[in-house]
Structure formats: structure tokens, C-alpha cells
Amino acid sequence: MMEVRRPGLQTTVQDTGRRVRALGVPGGGAADPLALRLANALVGNPPGAAALEVTLAGPALRFGADALVALCGAPFEATLAGSPFPPWRAVPVRAGQTLDLGGAARGARAVLAVRGGLEGQEAFGSRSTDLRTGFGGLEGRALRAGDRIGWFPLPPAKPPRAFVSPELRTPTGPHHILRVLPTAEATPDLLAALTGRPFTVSGQADRMGARLGEAVPAPHDPNRISLPNVPGGVQLPPDGRPILLLPDAGTHGGYPTPLALASVDLPRLGQLRPGDRVWLRVVSPEEARAALWHRERAVRGAELALRWWYKET
Amino acid sequence: MTGVTIERLGDAALVVRSPLARELLADLTARPLPGVREAVPALDVLTVLYDPLRVDAGGLSAALRERLARLRPGGEANARTHVLPVTFGGPDLGWCACQAGLSVSDFVRALCGTPLTVAFLGFTPGFAFLAGLPGRLRMPRLSAPRERVPAGSVALGGPWAGVYPRETPGGWRLVGHTDAVLFDPWRPEPVLWQAGDRVRFEVRA
């Protein structure tokens, strides 16, 4: 059990999300799924275990029992019982200690995994918090001071000395090159307008989407029928300021979607913060696939090594 | 098979356009294809989300075409009828009646007399795109969406009618309000309706 002493800006329970878009329910799940996967691997959890996602300003958490935790994602300042707390590795926490996460100089989100995985309301096969409709995780809302959250018991284990290599970590800002694939709605003019210049991430950036600050000439078709959205879709509303879709985006949308992010760069969406600069770069499906496989092999290597550690000890 | 197109949407989704989209969804639910994560319907469209580490677009596309070739238009064997009591009187009711060339009471009567069908679910949990509006009841969407549409609002937009399950922004014309609970994740059936169901509005007594 841990008690929330200070909730941070927006701290929510997240796992890998749901697959019931056909019912109109957003996918949800950690905005930086790579950070979730690595944090879980570090403490010997299955990849989809629920963890805390912290945003921009972190929480202070007092642990009521011994635990093994790992913090992955944006480089948040962190202390444990007043001493510097190392990210990207498994760290034992003693009952009574407080883990205090401050702000991050770059990036937007980090994931704190606890060995065993967090408890929390499960809806449609996921404990992810759906803030908009208000279900999942902790009553469908962000943490508040005084909340208590438990985790599932797992036999205690000696933490591995390993840490996650920097090449595996989701890059944080302030400059992002995001690989994109044109969709059937991409015209040559739109492609040129969207990929020929940098954009700034606006203040309208949350778990539903990140709005970019600059406008491009947008086609406006009020009769476009709503179509299913995909993670990483780049929507173009009538005012021409593109929206990059994050995990809590609505399942369908009526705006043209001329680009979709390559899967390999989806975790990066979770690290966009207002003021960051974004370049959209078109790649071929083959390049997108090769890049995804390249990273996947490295992540699986790390997961295997950590699984081996927890099996042996 | 004619009338089918399959387009890529990024590197992890395919958009299948076919009059048999709904039947394909039922088929994929009953007999999942390896690597397919989810299939999400719209009107005569099924977007298939897949794991690009397990399947490639070409192979999946061929498998989907093969499935479609064997499907036949299905009946609505499991269709239910939902009658929704509506308090008419939304901010756009008068405007919509005028646009339809009807008095408000005739407009309400026409809308309640229209049998609607759930074409697909989406946008927000529990929201259904209701098809079947005759031409004169079809209303253009607002040019600028409202920031907040109250939960339970009955609305018209383009060819569709719909009910907002919770407060959201929305660009459709609001003509009434219902207390029906469209989405409750803790009910055995969280969503009130499913594609193919029939819907009728009635004036709340």
C-alpha cells in the first residue's frame, strides 16, 4: 500500500490499454508504452501490469510496505527518503519511505512500476484510467492527496544491478523528428504543407491529443463521414492546426487524417510537451517496419535478460 | 469480389471498405485472424488494427479479401428495439423545425415517427450513429462545435441522429434530452445498444 502525499499534476493508473474501440471506448494505456514495458521488466512484472503514469510535475508517495519499484520515461527529478533516486533501474523501497518526484527538464511523462503490478478498477480487461468518461484505475480519475493504492503480491526478489541502456529509452524533446506514413487522404499539397516545416507543440496537449501551434491550409468537408481513428493519427481540423492523437482520443473522427505516425514513434507522442518542436518526416512502410523491428529486438533482449534474472534468483 | 477496397492507414491498420463491413466484423470476432488486435466499424467501413511485428499489410489484406469473398449479407437476427423517451426542447429545436419547413410539433412527430437503426458505435463510449433520417430531417452540422454538450442530448448531424452519453464538445444540432443511460462500464452489458439494433424516439409523457 502506498499513500499519496502530493498527487502531482496528473498521475494516473495505466497499463497497456483496452481493445474495445468497436464499442466507442478509447484504447487508453500508458502514453509512453515503451517506458511502461521497460519499467515492468525491471521489477519482474509481466509487460502489461498496471503502473503509475506521472505527468510534468510528479507526486510524492509514502510506502506503507517494502516494495521494489522502477521509474522509466522522462528524466524526472526524484528522491527516496531524501536521497537521490536513480531512474531506469529496479530500486528497493522500505516501508515508511517517501518517494518524491519533482519536475522533468525534458519530456512529459514517466512510468513508476511496482513489483506485482498496481491494483485498480478493471474495465474491459484493463486497469487504465479513462479520465474523460471516468472509469478504470482509481475511480476513473487522477490521484488526489490521501489516496491509497495497493499492489499485487509477488515473492520478494533481489533487484538486478542492470539499468536500461540509453538507446532503448524513448527520446525526449525539445526537438522531435516523427516518422509518418501518408494515408489515402494525403494530397501532394497537404503532404508538402505538413512535412516541409517545423511545428510547435501548443498548450493543448493531453492524453487525448497534442495540438500543434501552426496552421496549414486544411481541406474542409463537413460531409466527411466519421471514420475510426488510429493511434498516432494526424488529424486536420478546419482551422488547419494538426492534432496528433494520443491513447485517450475518441475512437472515431470526422476530420481528415492525411498522415499516421509510424508505430515505432508512438511512444514519443507521450513525451511531447508544450513548446517542443516537431518535424514530420515521411518514411516508406518498409523503413517503418525495419525501424520497429530494430527497436523491438533490442527491447526483447532486455526483457529476456531481466526475466532470466528473476527466474534465477 | 466487387465493391471492396483496402487501404493502409499507417503501418498498423488497414481500412476495408465493403458493404459487408458489419458481417466481416462479426466473422473476425468469431474467428480471429492472427496478428489482428481489433476491428473497428464505421458505415460500410471496417478498420482493422494489427500488430506489425506479427503480420504484414499484404498478407493481412489477402486474408481479409478471402474472408469477404465467403461472406453473405447477414440478417439482423439479434436486433433489438430501443424506445427512448425524449424531452424535446433543445437549443436548436426551433431552428431544425424551420429548416425542415415544419412546425415544432410536426417536426417532433416526424422525428418520433422515423425508425432509426444503429449503424455503428464510436466517438465516445456508448455513442451510436443512428441511420435512417429522411432527407428533410437531415441537419447540417454547426460550423463551430459547442465546447460542451450536456449528457443525454439528442442531436442531429448530417445523415445521423445520436445521443451524447456524457458531456463532450459536439457539433450536432440539439433537439432534446433523454435520461436513458447509454454507457455504464459496471453493467453486464455496458453499452445500451449494438450495431443493427432499431431505435425510436418518443415524446416523454
Side-chain angles (χ1 to χ4, degrees), chain A residues 19-24 121-122 124 132-133 135 181 183-184 222 226-228 230 250-252 260 263 285 288-289 292-293 296, chain B residues 7-13 37-42 47 49 52-53 120-126 141 166 169 183 185-186 190:
Chain A
R19 292 182 181 173
V20 281
R21 284 180 174 84
L23 296 180
Q121 265 178 2
E122 187 176 317
F124 306 104
R132 295 283 292 188
T133 303
F135 62 87
L181 297 144
T183 74
S226 282
L227 288 172
V230 288
T251 58
H252 292 68
S263 299
R289 189 180 170 80
L292 184 65
W293 266 112
E296 182 66 18
Chain B
E7 297 157 3
R8 283 171 186 261
L9 183 56
D11 62 352
R37 288 174 165 153
E38 273 186 82
V40 194
T47 297
L49 280 64
L53 296 167
F120 62 96
L121 305 173
F123 170 56
T124 190
R141 296 176 177 87
R166 60 169 165 79
F183 179 76
W186 314 120

Side-chain angles (χ1 to χ4, degrees), chain A residues 18-244:
Chain A
R18 342 191 126 77
R19 292 182 181 173
V20 281
R21 284 180 174 84
L23 296 180
V25 180
D32 179 349
L34 192 56
L36 174 76
R37 208 169 144 186
L38 292 166
N40 274 329
L42 280 169
V43 296
N45 284 346
L52 285 183
E53 176 180 280
V54 312
T55 313
L56 293 173
L61 307 161
R62 186 176 179 280
F63 282 74
D66 290 356
L68 186 64
V69 306
L71 181 69
C72 296
F76 279 72
E77 292 160 25
T79 58
L80 178 62
S83 302
F85 175 89
W88 299 105
R89 63 194 312 160
V91 181
V93 175
R94 300 275 159 249
Q97 289 186 322
T98 297
L99 175 61
D100 193 326
L101 303 183
R106 288 171 289 117
R109 294 180 180 87
V111 170
L112 180 76
V114 181
R115 179 165 166 81
L118 295 184
E119 293 174 342
Q121 265 178 2
E122 187 176 317
F124 306 104
S126 160
R127 295 189 159 78
S128 285
T129 309
D130 186 310
L131 290 167
R132 295 283 292 188
T133 303
F135 62 87
L138 200 81
E139 299 168 12
R141 58 171 176 79
L143 301 194
R144 293 181 195 147
D147 282 340
R148 288 159 184 274
I149 309 168
W151 56 86
F152 295 98
L154 264 190
K158 208 169 84 177
R161 296 171 61 91
F163 61 92
V164 170
S165 130
E167 297 96 80
L168 285 186
R169 306 173 185 178
T170 304
T172 50
H175 301 289
H176 304 266
I177 296 172
L178 299 176
R179 286 161 279 193
V180 291
L181 297 144
T183 74
E185 290 184 285
T187 61
D189 283 354
L190 262 183
L191 269 184
L194 285 165
T195 61
R197 54 172 294 183
F199 290 91
T200 312
V201 178
S202 79
Q204 291 168 281
D206 59 16
R207 287 187 40 85
M208 295 183 70
R211 198 92 200 262
L212 302 179
E214 297 83 2
V216 301
H220 181 45
D221 175 11
N223 294 317
R224 182 191 188 270
I225 295 284
S226 282
L227 288 172
N229 287 333
V230 288
V234 182
Q235 279 193 339
L236 211 51
D239 74 1
R241 292 166 51 212
I243 304 172
L244 310 178

Side-chain angles (χ1 to χ4, degrees), chain B residues 9-85:
Chain B
L9 183 56
D11 62 352
L14 292 174
V15 180
V16 182
R17 292 174 194 274
S18 160
L20 292 172
R22 195 186 295 170
E23 286 80 0
L24 181 60
L25 173 60
D27 187 64
L28 287 173
T29 306
R31 298 184 302 134
L33 274 173
V36 171
R37 288 174 165 153
E38 273 186 82
V40 194
L43 190 66
D44 294 338
V45 168
L46 192 68
T47 297
V48 178
L49 280 64
Y50 63 90
D51 179 353
L53 296 167
R54 290 190 60 195
V55 283
D56 67 80
L60 179 57
S61 178
L64 290 168
R65 281 182 187 278
E66 199 178 304
R67 287 281 176 101
L68 277 167
R70 280 191 267 129
L71 291 173
R72 297 287 164 265
E76 305 294 351
N78 300 319
R80 295 162 297 183
T81 298
H82 308 271
V83 179
L84 263 56

Side-chain angles (χ1 to χ4, degrees), chain B residues 84 86 88 105-116 137 199-204:
Chain B
L84 263 56
V86 175
F88 284 93
S105 57
D106 284 347
F107 177 83
V108 167
R109 201 168 303 130
L111 186 55
C112 290
T114 300
L116 299 165
L137 297 186
V199 178
R200 203 162 50 72
F201 296 133
E202 70 173 19
V203 176
R204 188 185 178 141

